[in-house]
Amino acid sequence: MLQPQAGILPAPLRGGRYLYYRLRYGAEAAGALRSLTTEPWGAQDVLGLAATLVTRRGGEVEGLRSFPDLSDSQTAVPWTPHDLWVWVRADDIGAAMNLGRRLTEKLKAAFELVGASSAHLHGHDQDLSSYHDGTENPEPDEAPGVALIQSGPLQGGSFVAVQRWEHHLEHLEAKSQQEQDLVIGRRLVDDSEIEDPGAAAHIKRTEQESFEPEAHLLRRSLPFVEGFAYGLEFVCFASSLDAFEVQLRRMVGCEDGILDAIFSFSSAINGGYYFCPPVKEGPLDLSFLGAKFTEKGA
Ligand code: HEM
């Protein structure tokens, strides 16, 4: 029976580490990945494989692709080619750090850790701007339908879009409270929706029901603080990458030339798409990559 990775549907824990790996030059990925299929995959964590890794191994995941080149946008939308993405979830950053170290050790013959960041809950699920993040997420009973592939050989798998946003809150704070609320389209004081906040408001750019077909996401973003930098590690799961992509295209003005007002205080500085394989009786199921990932010692 194929099941989703246990870290996808539940709300984030207080601490998290996002780890980015690249396949070492000339390395054979099968052995390192197979070690993940011989024991139960972390009860809290999520692992995603990039299109580069899947196709290099001769596998196929319908709908998995590289981050789009949005050269028709009103601003730069950078992305970074990594092969593996892992979200280690724990009750505190120290525990997440140690779980991540152990995983990196297991993968190190084939994968080099090339990026890492720490993220953690803020207040009551708030972005560092203090606005509540996740209000329009699906209810728990609807979340599997939004986040997971429902049928076929990849049932229980999920696509994840990941994007790091760096905030400059002084630009937001230079505005009146009313103007700040118009950036998001919601009132800070009670999270209520503003009826007509203008076309650039973030919730107007991303209003899930306004797309055809509707574009629903399970957002699981967390604030990060690192050195002088801070912002949001945007993470969303969906049964297809299309929902994120149509929203991002509208946010960056590809549809109508209007840039999301969120860019007035934050910039996207990297991004990536990954497929999160399902688990089968505990371990990750990588059978879509071919026999050598499932047969012990093959
Ligand atoms: C700096 C980065 C971002 C911040 C601070 C941010 C923050 C927020 C906030 C405060 C809300 C309103 C409350 C809620 O429904 O959660 C919201 C809504 C939403 N955001 Fe973002 N967001 C960011 C980036 C993105 C990106 C990159 C996407 C997708 C491409 C996105 C998709 C959505 C969606 C789908 C909603 C709900 C819209 C609806 O009402 O249906 N956000 N975001």
Side-chain angles (χ1 to χ4, degrees), residues 64-100:
L64 179 62
R65 53 189 184 263
S66 294
F67 206 77
D69 170 14
L70 299 178
S71 40
D72 52 343
S73 70
Q74 301 293 310
T75 183
V77 189
W79 63 284
T80 329
H82 294 122
D83 288 309
L84 271 185
W85 168 84
V86 177
W87 175 18
V88 179
R89 300 157 25 107
D91 289 328
D92 62 67
I93 299 281
M97 172 76 200
N98 282 330
L99 287 166

Short mmCIF file of all heavy atoms in Angstrom, two decimals, residues 64-100:
data_model
loop_
_atom_site.label_atom_id
_atom_site.label_comp_id
_atom_site.label_asym_id
_atom_site.label_seq_id
_atom_site.Cartn_x
_atom_site.Cartn_y
_atom_site.Cartn_z
N LEU A 64 6.78 16.13 -13.65
CA LEU A 64 7.97 16.69 -12.98
C LEU A 64 8.83 17.38 -14.02
O LEU A 64 9.10 16.83 -15.09
CB LEU A 64 8.77 15.57 -12.29
CG LEU A 64 10.05 16.04 -11.58
CD1 LEU A 64 9.74 17.02 -10.45
CD2 LEU A 64 10.83 14.84 -11.03
N ARG A 65 9.24 18.59 -13.71
CA ARG A 65 10.05 19.37 -14.63
C ARG A 65 10.94 20.31 -13.84
O ARG A 65 10.83 20.38 -12.61
CB ARG A 65 9.15 20.16 -15.59
CG ARG A 65 8.09 21.00 -14.87
CD ARG A 65 7.10 21.60 -15.85
NE ARG A 65 6.13 22.48 -15.24
CZ ARG A 65 4.90 22.12 -14.88
NH1 ARG A 65 4.49 20.86 -15.01
NH2 ARG A 65 4.07 23.00 -14.36
N SER A 66 11.80 21.04 -14.56
CA SER A 66 12.65 22.03 -13.87
C SER A 66 11.85 23.30 -13.63
O SER A 66 10.83 23.54 -14.29
CB SER A 66 13.87 22.35 -14.72
OG SER A 66 14.67 21.20 -14.81
N PHE A 67 12.33 24.12 -12.71
CA PHE A 67 11.69 25.40 -12.40
C PHE A 67 11.59 26.22 -13.70
O PHE A 67 12.50 26.21 -14.51
CB PHE A 67 12.54 26.14 -11.37
CG PHE A 67 11.77 27.11 -10.54
CD1 PHE A 67 10.98 26.66 -9.50
CD2 PHE A 67 11.86 28.47 -10.78
CE1 PHE A 67 10.26 27.55 -8.72
CE2 PHE A 67 11.14 29.37 -10.00
CZ PHE A 67 10.35 28.91 -8.96
N PRO A 68 10.47 26.91 -13.91
CA PRO A 68 10.30 27.58 -15.21
C PRO A 68 11.21 28.79 -15.39
O PRO A 68 11.56 29.47 -14.43
CB PRO A 68 8.83 28.02 -15.16
CG PRO A 68 8.51 28.15 -13.71
CD PRO A 68 9.34 27.12 -13.01
N ASP A 69 11.53 29.03 -16.63
CA ASP A 69 12.27 30.23 -17.00
C ASP A 69 11.24 31.31 -17.30
O ASP A 69 10.62 31.29 -18.37
CB ASP A 69 13.12 29.92 -18.23
CG ASP A 69 13.75 31.17 -18.81
OD1 ASP A 69 13.75 32.21 -18.11
OD2 ASP A 69 14.24 31.12 -19.95
N LEU A 70 11.02 32.22 -16.37
CA LEU A 70 9.96 33.22 -16.54
C LEU A 70 10.54 34.51 -17.11
O LEU A 70 10.51 35.56 -16.48
CB LEU A 70 9.25 33.48 -15.21
CG LEU A 70 8.56 32.26 -14.59
CD1 LEU A 70 7.93 32.60 -13.26
CD2 LEU A 70 7.50 31.72 -15.53
N SER A 71 11.10 34.40 -18.31
CA SER A 71 11.77 35.58 -18.86
C SER A 71 10.76 36.65 -19.29
O SER A 71 11.14 37.78 -19.54
CB SER A 71 12.67 35.19 -20.03
OG SER A 71 12.06 34.22 -20.81
N ASP A 72 9.46 36.30 -19.36
CA ASP A 72 8.45 37.32 -19.68
C ASP A 72 7.89 37.99 -18.42
O ASP A 72 6.88 38.66 -18.47
CB ASP A 72 7.31 36.71 -20.51
CG ASP A 72 6.70 35.46 -19.87
OD1 ASP A 72 7.36 34.86 -18.97
OD2 ASP A 72 5.59 35.07 -20.26
N SER A 73 8.58 37.81 -17.27
CA SER A 73 8.05 38.40 -16.04
C SER A 73 8.57 39.82 -15.85
O SER A 73 9.49 40.26 -16.54
CB SER A 73 8.46 37.54 -14.85
OG SER A 73 9.84 37.67 -14.64
N GLN A 74 7.98 40.52 -14.85
CA GLN A 74 8.36 41.91 -14.57
C GLN A 74 9.52 42.00 -13.59
O GLN A 74 9.92 43.08 -13.20
CB GLN A 74 7.15 42.65 -13.96
CG GLN A 74 5.93 42.68 -14.85
CD GLN A 74 6.16 43.50 -16.09
OE1 GLN A 74 6.61 44.62 -16.02
NE2 GLN A 74 5.86 42.91 -17.25
N THR A 75 10.05 40.87 -13.16
CA THR A 75 11.15 40.87 -12.21
C THR A 75 11.92 39.56 -12.37
O THR A 75 11.42 38.61 -12.98
CB THR A 75 10.62 41.02 -10.76
OG1 THR A 75 11.73 41.09 -9.86
CG2 THR A 75 9.75 39.83 -10.35
N ALA A 76 13.12 39.50 -11.82
CA ALA A 76 13.90 38.27 -11.92
C ALA A 76 13.28 37.19 -11.04
O ALA A 76 12.83 37.46 -9.93
CB ALA A 76 15.33 38.55 -11.47
N VAL A 77 13.22 35.96 -11.56
CA VAL A 77 12.71 34.83 -10.76
C VAL A 77 13.79 33.74 -10.80
O VAL A 77 13.74 32.84 -11.63
CB VAL A 77 11.38 34.29 -11.33
CG1 VAL A 77 10.79 33.28 -10.35
CG2 VAL A 77 10.39 35.41 -11.60
N PRO A 78 14.77 33.85 -9.92
CA PRO A 78 15.90 32.91 -9.99
C PRO A 78 15.54 31.51 -9.50
O PRO A 78 14.58 31.33 -8.75
CB PRO A 78 16.93 33.53 -9.07
CG PRO A 78 16.21 34.49 -8.21
CD PRO A 78 14.90 34.81 -8.84
N TRP A 79 16.29 30.53 -9.95
CA TRP A 79 16.13 29.18 -9.43
C TRP A 79 17.50 28.54 -9.38
O TRP A 79 18.46 29.01 -10.00
CB TRP A 79 15.16 28.35 -10.27
CG TRP A 79 15.56 28.10 -11.68
CD1 TRP A 79 15.50 28.99 -12.71
CD2 TRP A 79 16.08 26.89 -12.22
NE1 TRP A 79 15.94 28.41 -13.87
CE2 TRP A 79 16.30 27.11 -13.60
CE3 TRP A 79 16.36 25.62 -11.70
CZ2 TRP A 79 16.80 26.13 -14.45
CZ3 TRP A 79 16.85 24.65 -12.55
CH2 TRP A 79 17.07 24.90 -13.90
N THR A 80 17.63 27.49 -8.60
CA THR A 80 18.92 26.87 -8.37
C THR A 80 18.80 25.38 -8.65
O THR A 80 17.92 24.73 -8.08
CB THR A 80 19.33 27.04 -6.89
OG1 THR A 80 18.79 28.27 -6.42
CG2 THR A 80 20.83 27.04 -6.73
N PRO A 81 19.65 24.84 -9.52
CA PRO A 81 19.52 23.42 -9.82
C PRO A 81 20.14 22.54 -8.75
O PRO A 81 21.36 22.49 -8.61
CB PRO A 81 20.28 23.28 -11.15
CG PRO A 81 21.25 24.43 -11.17
CD PRO A 81 20.72 25.49 -10.28
N HIS A 82 19.30 21.89 -7.96
CA HIS A 82 19.76 20.90 -6.99
C HIS A 82 19.14 19.56 -7.36
O HIS A 82 18.13 19.51 -8.07
CB HIS A 82 19.33 21.29 -5.57
CG HIS A 82 19.98 22.54 -5.08
ND1 HIS A 82 19.26 23.64 -4.67
CD2 HIS A 82 21.27 22.87 -4.95
CE1 HIS A 82 20.10 24.59 -4.30
NE2 HIS A 82 21.33 24.15 -4.47
N ASP A 83 19.72 18.47 -6.87
CA ASP A 83 19.19 17.16 -7.22
C ASP A 83 18.23 16.61 -6.18
O ASP A 83 17.31 15.87 -6.50
CB ASP A 83 20.35 16.17 -7.43
CG ASP A 83 21.10 16.48 -8.73
OD1 ASP A 83 20.43 16.60 -9.77
OD2 ASP A 83 22.33 16.61 -8.70
N LEU A 84 18.50 16.92 -4.92
CA LEU A 84 17.67 16.40 -3.82
C LEU A 84 17.35 17.54 -2.88
O LEU A 84 18.21 18.39 -2.60
CB LEU A 84 18.47 15.41 -2.97
CG LEU A 84 18.54 13.93 -3.27
CD1 LEU A 84 19.31 13.25 -2.15
CD2 LEU A 84 17.15 13.34 -3.37
N TRP A 85 16.13 17.52 -2.37
CA TRP A 85 15.73 18.49 -1.35
C TRP A 85 15.15 17.72 -0.17
O TRP A 85 14.38 16.77 -0.37
CB TRP A 85 14.67 19.42 -1.94
CG TRP A 85 13.94 20.29 -0.94
CD1 TRP A 85 14.36 21.49 -0.45
CD2 TRP A 85 12.66 20.05 -0.34
NE1 TRP A 85 13.42 22.00 0.43
CE2 TRP A 85 12.36 21.13 0.50
CE3 TRP A 85 11.72 19.01 -0.44
CZ2 TRP A 85 11.19 21.22 1.25
CZ3 TRP A 85 10.55 19.09 0.30
CH2 TRP A 85 10.28 20.18 1.13
N VAL A 86 15.56 18.07 1.03
CA VAL A 86 15.02 17.40 2.21
C VAL A 86 14.56 18.46 3.22
O VAL A 86 15.28 19.44 3.47
CB VAL A 86 16.06 16.48 2.88
CG1 VAL A 86 15.49 15.85 4.15
CG2 VAL A 86 16.51 15.38 1.92
N TRP A 87 13.38 18.27 3.76
CA TRP A 87 12.90 19.10 4.86
C TRP A 87 12.93 18.21 6.10
O TRP A 87 12.15 17.27 6.22
CB TRP A 87 11.49 19.58 4.55
CG TRP A 87 10.80 20.36 5.65
CD1 TRP A 87 11.39 20.97 6.72
CD2 TRP A 87 9.40 20.62 5.77
NE1 TRP A 87 10.43 21.59 7.50
CE2 TRP A 87 9.21 21.39 6.93
CE3 TRP A 87 8.28 20.28 5.00
CZ2 TRP A 87 7.95 21.81 7.35
CZ3 TRP A 87 7.03 20.70 5.41
CH2 TRP A 87 6.87 21.47 6.57
N VAL A 88 13.87 18.51 7.00
CA VAL A 88 13.96 17.78 8.26
C VAL A 88 13.13 18.55 9.28
O VAL A 88 13.36 19.74 9.51
CB VAL A 88 15.43 17.68 8.75
CG1 VAL A 88 15.50 16.94 10.07
CG2 VAL A 88 16.28 17.00 7.70
N ARG A 89 12.15 17.89 9.86
CA ARG A 89 11.24 18.55 10.79
C ARG A 89 11.49 18.04 12.20
O ARG A 89 11.63 16.84 12.42
CB ARG A 89 9.79 18.26 10.39
CG ARG A 89 9.41 18.73 9.00
CD ARG A 89 8.21 17.98 8.41
NE ARG A 89 7.33 17.43 9.39
CZ ARG A 89 6.11 17.90 9.67
NH1 ARG A 89 5.63 18.92 9.03
NH2 ARG A 89 5.36 17.32 10.59
N ALA A 90 11.53 18.95 13.17
CA ALA A 90 11.76 18.53 14.56
C ALA A 90 11.16 19.58 15.49
O ALA A 90 10.69 20.63 15.04
CB ALA A 90 13.25 18.38 14.82
N ASP A 91 11.20 19.27 16.80
CA ASP A 91 10.62 20.22 17.75
C ASP A 91 11.51 21.43 17.97
O ASP A 91 11.05 22.47 18.44
CB ASP A 91 10.35 19.52 19.09
CG ASP A 91 9.17 18.56 18.95
OD1 ASP A 91 8.27 18.86 18.14
OD2 ASP A 91 9.17 17.51 19.61
N ASP A 92 12.80 21.29 17.70
CA ASP A 92 13.68 22.45 17.80
C ASP A 92 14.79 22.35 16.76
O ASP A 92 15.01 21.29 16.17
CB ASP A 92 14.25 22.60 19.21
CG ASP A 92 15.10 21.42 19.61
OD1 ASP A 92 16.18 21.24 19.01
OD2 ASP A 92 14.69 20.64 20.51
N ILE A 93 15.47 23.46 16.53
CA ILE A 93 16.49 23.53 15.48
C ILE A 93 17.64 22.56 15.76
O ILE A 93 18.19 21.95 14.84
CB ILE A 93 17.06 24.97 15.38
CG1 ILE A 93 15.96 25.95 15.03
CG2 ILE A 93 18.21 25.05 14.39
CD1 ILE A 93 15.59 25.99 13.59
N GLY A 94 18.01 22.42 17.04
CA GLY A 94 19.13 21.52 17.38
C GLY A 94 18.83 20.09 16.96
O GLY A 94 19.67 19.41 16.34
N ALA A 95 17.62 19.64 17.26
CA ALA A 95 17.24 18.27 16.88
C ALA A 95 17.21 18.14 15.36
O ALA A 95 17.67 17.13 14.80
CB ALA A 95 15.88 17.93 17.48
N ALA A 96 16.70 19.15 14.68
CA ALA A 96 16.64 19.10 13.21
C ALA A 96 18.05 19.05 12.64
O ALA A 96 18.35 18.32 11.68
CB ALA A 96 15.89 20.31 12.67
N MET A 97 18.95 19.82 13.25
CA MET A 97 20.35 19.86 12.80
C MET A 97 20.96 18.46 12.88
O MET A 97 21.59 17.97 11.93
CB MET A 97 21.10 20.84 13.72
CG MET A 97 22.58 20.88 13.55
SD MET A 97 22.99 21.78 12.05
CE MET A 97 24.63 21.16 11.80
N ASN A 98 20.75 17.79 14.01
CA ASN A 98 21.37 16.47 14.20
C ASN A 98 20.75 15.40 13.30
O ASN A 98 21.46 14.56 12.75
CB ASN A 98 21.30 16.06 15.67
CG ASN A 98 22.38 16.79 16.47
OD1 ASN A 98 23.43 17.11 15.92
ND2 ASN A 98 22.11 17.08 17.73
N LEU A 99 19.44 15.46 13.10
CA LEU A 99 18.80 14.52 12.16
C LEU A 99 19.36 14.73 10.76
O LEU A 99 19.65 13.79 10.02
CB LEU A 99 17.28 14.72 12.16
CG LEU A 99 16.54 14.25 13.40
CD1 LEU A 99 15.12 14.82 13.41
CD2 LEU A 99 16.51 12.72 13.44
N GLY A 100 19.52 15.99 10.39
CA GLY A 100 20.04 16.33 9.06
C GLY A 100 21.48 15.84 8.89
O GLY A 100 21.85 15.35 7.83
#
